[in-house]
């Protein structure tokens, strides 16, 4: 008799990324790793609809972060799903910055996104975003247990 083995236990959908140890350190290298991890989580949130992990990585005052999460919540609340839009982040520069006693990190990166389709059910018009590359600047703040994105902006 042949052994067919046990059923596969491989997940069929997106798998939530695990934060690397480096991304928890309050260092320039930690801030670089954290920005890359943030975008890994953004890709996971888009693909899965699970925003819980992504929203824990940002300061409540980060307008760009909150705007992105709010948009995703609206898409999923309407029954939409997202295809494409995967991100590749290339760190250009990073440094420690301070204001008074507060220390944070500035990370500059090139952020590339693949073409993205936001697919809504029924006759609602889908949204299509072309592939893009932007230069982005992030302010990463030390926080208990790791780091948080406090601010980011971008330009083409």
């Amino acid at each position: 008799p042949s052994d067919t083995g046990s059923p596969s236990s491989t997940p069929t959908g997106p798998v939530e990324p695990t934060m690397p140890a480096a991304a928890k350190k309050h260092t320039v290298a930690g801030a670089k790793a954290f920005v890359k991890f943030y975008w890994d989580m953004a890709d996971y949130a888009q693909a899965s609809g699970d925003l819980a992990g992504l929203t824990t990585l940002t300061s409540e005052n980060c307008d760009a972060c909150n705007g992105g999460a709010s948009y995703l919540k609206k898409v999923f609340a309407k029954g939409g799903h997202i295809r494409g839009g995967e991100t590749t982040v290339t760190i250009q520069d990073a440094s420690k910055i301070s204001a008074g006693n507060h220390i944070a990190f500035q990370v500059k990166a090139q952020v590339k996104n693949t073409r993205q389709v936001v697919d809504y059910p029924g006759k609602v018009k889908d949204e299509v975003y072309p592939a893009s590359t932007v230069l982005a600047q992030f302010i990463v703040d030390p926080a208990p247990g790791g780091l948080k994105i406090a601010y980011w902006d971008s330009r083409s």
Side-chain angles (χ1 to χ4, degrees):
S2 65
D3 181 12
T4 58
S6 60
S8 173
S9 62
T10 304
T12 57
V15 176
E16 184 171 354
T18 300
M19 183 184 295
K24 296 177 183 178
K25 296 183 178 176
H26 297 187
T27 63
V28 170
K32 290 178 184 180
F34 188 79
V35 167
K36 286 186 172 193
F37 177 70
Y38 172 79
W39 284 103
D40 288 345
M41 286 297 291
D43 284 348
Y44 168 75
Q46 288 183 156
S48 68
D50 178 5
L51 280 74
L54 180 65
T55 58
T56 66
L57 302 178
T58 63
S59 161
E60 63 185 37
N61 297 322
C62 179
D63 291 338
C65 307
N66 296 331
S70 176
Y71 174 76
L72 291 175
K73 285 177 190 173
K74 288 177 187 173
V75 167
F76 298 125
K78 292 178 182 178
H81 66 275
I82 298 173
R83 293 189 316 267
E86 291 86 9
T87 307
T88 303
V89 177
T90 304
I91 303 297
Q92 306 285 314
D93 185 39
S95 59
K96 187 177 186 178
I97 57 176
S98 61
N101 291 332
H102 184 77
I103 293 174
F105 304 94
Q106 179 181 46
V107 178
K108 295 179 182 178
Q110 180 184 64
V111 180
K112 290 184 180 182
N113 293 314
T114 62
R115 181 177 182 269
Q116 182 180 65
V117 177
V118 180
D119 185 15
Y120 292 102
K123 295 184 180 189
V124 175
K125 186 175 179 181
D126 295 341
E127 299 169 10
V128 179
Y129 300 96
S132 67
T133 300
V134 298
L135 296 177
Q137 172 181 274
F138 302 86
I139 302 299
V140 180
D141 260 346
L147 299 166
K148 289 198 182 269
I149 303 288
Y151 170 86
W152 73 269
D153 67 11
S154 63
R155 64 185 193 288
S156 300

